[in-house]
């Protein structure tokens, strides 16, 4: 389930991703900048994953690398380390380290904590100005 999710994100298969989750969820992005609200339903996840075509086309290509999945004492829970590797317009590469802690029950993700480095993400997407603007807005 984890691999389907992260590869689906990397491949831009946003319409298929909400179906990986239960109807009721608890998905949080503790490192999100600006802060984000928990995603508590499949409908909220559908909105979260919806990317307008013009935005999708402007995003750099990315792939999933450096995957390490740790089993836990709870058979429903995994801890997964990985990175999204972005290929930038000049063909250079930028890695964004991530750690996901997920609970999967009956073949669906029902809970997840997605720790993603926000500064490297905005930088890799060429969108650092947007991050800085959101930080300035929060300071006013």
């Amino acid at each position: 389930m984890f691999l389907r999710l992260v590869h689906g994100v990397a491949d831009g298969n946003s319409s298929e991703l909400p179906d990986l989750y239960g109807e009721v969820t608890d998905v949080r992005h503790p490192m999100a900048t600006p802060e984000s609200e928990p995603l508590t339903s499949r409908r909220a996840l559908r909105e979260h994953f919806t990317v307008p075509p013009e935005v999708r086309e402007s995003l750099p290509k990315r792939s999933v690398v450096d995957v390490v999945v740790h089993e836990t004492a709870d058979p429903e829970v995994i801890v997964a380390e990985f990175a999204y590797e972005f290929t930038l317009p000049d063909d250079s590469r930028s890695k964004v380290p991530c750690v996901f802690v997920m609970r999967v029950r009956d073949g669906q993700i029902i809970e997840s904590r997605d720790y993603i480095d926000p500064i490297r993400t905005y930088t890799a997407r060429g969108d650092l100005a947007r991050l800085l603007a959101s930080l300035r807005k929060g300071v006013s």
Side-chain angles (χ1 to χ4, degrees):
M1 195 57 59
F2 159 74
L3 291 173
R4 287 177 59 194
L5 172 65
V6 296
H7 285 288
V9 168
D11 295 340
N13 297 333
S14 57
S15 64
E16 300 170 13
L17 298 175
D19 295 331
L20 300 177
Y21 293 84
E23 286 292 337
V24 176
T25 63
D26 184 359
V27 177
R28 298 172 190 245
H29 299 91
M31 296 175 69
T33 304
E35 289 184 42
S36 65
E37 293 295 317
L39 302 166
T40 57
S41 68
R42 188 179 292 151
R43 185 177 67 72
L45 284 154
R46 193 168 310 286
E47 290 174 24
H48 171 75
F49 286 123
T50 298
V51 179
E54 64 277 6
V55 173
R56 187 179 318 120
E57 291 170 10
S58 69
L59 293 174
K61 182 179 186 260
R62 69 179 135 173
S63 57
V64 178
V65 298
D66 304 334
V67 175
V68 178
V69 177
H70 304 276
E71 292 185 35
T72 67
D74 184 336
E76 291 185 340
V77 175
I78 66 159
V79 176
E81 302 174 71
F82 69 103
Y84 285 119
E85 184 174 71
F86 289 79
T87 302
L88 305 176
D90 65 0
D91 283 332
S92 65
R93 296 179 192 270
S94 177
K95 283 187 184 180
V96 177
C98 308
V99 174
F100 285 10
V101 180
M102 301 173 71
R103 178 177 300 278
V104 177
R105 182 177 296 147
D106 298 327
Q108 294 184 317
I109 303 164
I110 59 166
E111 187 176 4
S112 188
R113 299 297 177 267
D114 303 353
Y115 299 90
I116 304 170
D117 183 322
I119 294 171
R120 289 189 191 180
T121 299
Y122 281 97
T123 301
R125 293 190 321 209
D127 210 4
L128 196 52
R130 185 170 148 212
L131 171 62
L132 294 173
S134 71
L135 293 173
R136 285 187 189 104
K137 186 185 291 185
V139 172
S140 59

